[in-house]
Amino acid sequence: MNKIDRDIRNALKDTPTISPDVNRELAQKFAQENYQRDTDETGETLILPVERHRKPTLIKRVGAFAACFTAIAVLGGGAAAMSGLFSPDNSSTQLSADDGTAPEEISQEATEEFTEEFTEETTEAPEEEATDAPEDDPAADYPENTYDMSTKEGIFAKMLNSKNFYDNISGKYVTAYCPQTTDMSFINTYQYDVKSGKSYSYLSCLNLTNSLDDILSGSMPEGWEGGKFTHDESYCDGEKCYSLNVRGYQGYYWLGEDYVALPDTINVAQLLETLENDPVVDMQQLGFGATTFCSNPNKIQLIVACLSNFENWDFEPTSTEYGDAVLINGTTVHYERFDTPTTFSMTVDCATGLIISYTDYDDQGNLYDYLVTHDLKINENAEPVPEIDMNDYVEYDEQKHANLKYEFKTNSSGKTYADKTVFGISKSSREFLPDYLAFGDGYIDVDEFIETNGDMSVLQGNDYHQYTEPSETEELVYKLNLYDCEGNYIYSIYYYEGYIDQ
Amino acid sequence: MTQDQFETLLARHGNEIFGFCCHITGNRNAAEDLYQDAVLKAFELLGRIDGSSKNGLKSARNYIIGIAVKLNSNLMRKKLLKDSFFVPNGEVLIGTALDGSDIVRDTERKYAHSKLREIIAGLPERLRSVVYMYYYAEMPVADISQQLDIPQGTVKSRLNKARKEIKKKMEVFYNE
């Protein structure tokens, strides 16, 4: 562990203990809250709050959501239940009415306000519009979305529901976090088939010859893509979604339960009302964390953060290589990603509502984040989702994996070494790793690596882009000593580990 | 998670969660409120917490910490928190609360630790939260990522950025 890590840990370990008064007060609150308890089929306790001191509307909806979530899980519907935020065809709405905890009615004033705000004529509608909603359906209180790209409401709604405007889509976007250099830029390549629910995506790194100016202008030279990071590969077969080669273990998958559901149409008025009533509710609770993967390359959180306050942004018509677009400039509002107002600029494709380019800046005016779309193709022009045979993969199980025994070679000193480069290295995996592991032209000392990097880093074979020089992002570039299999030092290299922001 | 499991969770990890709240709010009174709010919110969502797995209690603890971060984030936005973790004369409230403990005896070291806490408390919220989650709550990056609903890479980036910032400011402190 580095000195700074030790110092931080030591400095933070001194904390007061909780006062008995706090626990007493908490116990009183539990009693006062008058929680109703019920038990579902699995024996799990369901808590349905009936009296809360917080604003009631959302809390009750969340309570209903919690109940729905469990009920849906029992029925095998998985993450398809995403509260009442989505269009009336969402099965969760029916469930929320059935569980006896239907959301409290929206006030008359609120209804009028939203109705007034969203009464512009819809000029472009998704294929499957919601029809008559049941009387007890909370979504029925909300006006339908407009998708008119000459209005703010339309732009916001279309971006959130862009998947309604194509069946197949493929493309790439380059994105980065704190991109003072291009070292932390990544390419996300994706192919989505919205109708079948199949999708495939992976991350790769940039060829370092690209400058930030190149990236932002979209004028990338031939060969701009560098190596692919095999551990950041995802595949959905229409029913289930998998992380492939999880943690760098080739041939293993992780089932991503959260990614099963395809998103329904997001009702903008209801979304805004929900955010207004209880900002405590995070995107995951709203279902966005679970529903953006399979079909919508737009970043829902980003859109909400940038555009949910219509007073904070303006737009004007423009065009891109893909056709008509709008240029939006504004200041962000919501969520932890932007703890202070951040200025942003984005270009949005009118036909699909997809973000073509995006930049934001910190309070000093430095470029903080960006996203640039490339090779966007829709419908018949889109690259097809590859067929991946999941029989070629084995489910990764952390517990079982830790007990897997590999046959290692032994050097003259009795130390073990392996030529495979499929191992992920971390403290938790140390017990089943050899002493030396092949990397580049030699071997790395596993203990040395863990000692140097701890849990901060996982080295996964030769797939990482390697540098010959340390980069500006020194914290993400690690020096590795290479040895021969006998443990004799050969030379040192730098390797780079970078990440993508959402 | 059952109610019994929830009670066990609080008995076993309540102090850690409360300590986390102290760090993140920098104020004991605010920490007590935050702790109660986070626990109540978690109790409300009890059906969604898996208490049966091997690391069920630890995961549930992390879940509540995640709730505390989000609640605190919203409180800060509402500017409800005005008091500082550090009183004007530099006396650290948390030190007062720990009077009698044998954790930090050396004055110089104690002062350095105070300074370090002050620097951490002064970090932007998005960095501060991951620092407390990683270093104080000792949550793995994957858990922080899950609780904050951000990619693991973002967590790591923030940790790295925070460390860099802390390191830089501590160097200035040592050179003074």
Side-chain angles (χ1 to χ4, degrees), chain B residues 72-84:
Chain B
N72 184 59
S73 178
N74 286 303
L75 281 172
M76 287 188 67
R77 266 184 221 112
K78 291 174 184 173
K79 300 187 187 303
L80 288 180
L81 295 181
K82 292 173 184 169
D83 298 332
S84 168

Side-chain angles (χ1 to χ4, degrees), chain A residues 288-355:
Chain A
F288 293 149
T291 57
T292 57
F293 181 76
C294 293
S295 61
N296 190 345
N298 263 1
K299 296 173 182 306
I300 302 296
Q301 273 182 295
L302 186 69
I303 296 167
V304 172
C306 290
L307 305 181
S308 58
N309 184 338
F310 294 164
E311 292 178 2
N312 282 15
W313 54 280
D314 282 308
F315 69 99
E316 58 186 80
T318 186
S319 64
T320 69
E321 61 180 295
Y322 306 108
D324 290 341
V326 288
L327 172 65
I328 302 173
N329 288 295
T331 309
T332 58
V333 279
H334 278 292
Y335 306 116
E336 62 84 32
R337 176 193 173 96
F338 299 107
D339 49 3
T340 54
T342 301
T343 57
F344 70 88
S345 178
M346 67 168 85
T347 309
V348 180
D349 182 47
C350 285
T352 57
L354 289 170
I355 299 172

Side-chain angles (χ1 to χ4, degrees), chain A residues 2-19 21-23 25-26 29-30 33 35 37 43-49 52-54 59 62-63 65-66 69-70 177-178 184 247 258 278-285 288-289 301 333-340 362 368 399 453-458 472-476 478 497-502, chain B residues 1-3 5-6 10 14-15 18-20 22-23 28 32-33 35-41 43-52 54 63 67 70-71 73-74 77-78 93-94 97-98 103-104 109 112-114 116-117 120 124-127 131-132 134-136 138 140-142 146-154 156-164 166-167 170 174:
Chain A
N2 295 331
K3 184 177 181 306
I4 188 70
D5 292 324
R6 264 199 314 273
D7 287 347
I8 297 171
R9 218 173 276 264
N10 286 334
L12 294 181
K13 72 182 177 186
D14 315 338
T15 52
T17 52
I18 192 163
S19 146
D21 291 343
V22 175
N23 279 334
E25 204 177 317
L26 193 55
K29 282 188 180 176
F30 278 129
E33 292 290 339
Y35 283 95
R37 293 174 177 80
E44 288 288 296
T45 304
L46 300 178
I47 306 298
L48 307 174
R52 291 286 288 158
H53 59 277
R54 293 181 194 281
I59 291 297
V62 169
F65 169 70
F69 189 90
T70 311
Y177 181 77
C178 305
M184 290 177 66
R247 290 188 175 174
D258 286 348
D278 193 346
V280 169
V281 172
D282 59 44
M283 302 306 280
Q284 203 165 26
Q285 281 174 300
F288 293 149
Q301 273 182 295
V333 279
H334 278 292
Y335 306 116
E336 62 84 32
R337 176 193 173 96
F338 299 107
D339 49 3
T340 54
D362 65 18
Y368 189 75
Q399 207 62 32
N453 301 302
D455 272 344
M456 288 291 291
S457 184
V458 175
E472 292 291 315
T473 53
E474 56 185 4
E475 296 288 352
L476 291 173
Y478 300 97
E497 189 173 15
Y499 309 99
I500 185 170
D501 197 12
Q502 64 181 0
Chain B
M1 172 173 267
T2 64
Q3 200 177 337
Q5 286 170 327
F6 192 72
L10 292 186
N15 270 331
F18 179 68
F20 182 87
C22 286
H23 277 305
R28 184 167 184 128
E32 289 178 354
D33 289 345
Y35 172 78
Q36 292 189 357
D37 284 349
V39 168
L40 283 170
K41 183 90 180 171
F43 188 70
E44 191 177 297
L45 301 172
L46 206 54
R48 295 175 62 185
I49 306 175
D50 178 15
S52 57
K54 189 186 168 195
Y63 183 73
I67 291 174
K70 287 163 193 159
L71 288 172
S73 178
N74 286 303
R77 266 184 221 112
K78 291 174 184 173
L93 289 177
I94 205 165
L98 287 171
I103 297 171
V104 182
R109 195 185 175 94
H113 280 178
S114 304
L116 193 48
R117 285 199 292 264
I120 295 168
E125 190 204 341
R126 67 174 187 283
L127 302 183
V131 166
Y132 290 136
Y134 185 77
Y135 289 105
Y136 171 72
E138 297 187 358
V141 168
Q146 192 184 352
Q147 295 309 328
L148 296 184
D149 195 21
I150 55 177
Q152 290 189 36
T154 305
K156 291 181 182 180
S157 297
R158 289 181 187 183
L159 279 171
N160 282 311
K161 199 171 179 192
R163 284 199 308 172
K164 217 181 218 176
I166 293 166
K167 213 169 165 179
M170 282 307 280
Y174 283 124

Side-chain angles (χ1 to χ4, degrees), chain A residues 247-272:
Chain A
R247 290 188 175 174
Y249 295 101
Q250 300 289 326
Y252 288 88
Y253 72 82
W254 233 339
L255 194 58
E257 290 177 10
D258 286 348
Y259 293 146
V260 174
L262 286 173
D264 287 301
T265 298
I266 297 168
N267 184 308
V268 170
Q270 195 169 356
L271 168 65
L272 293 175

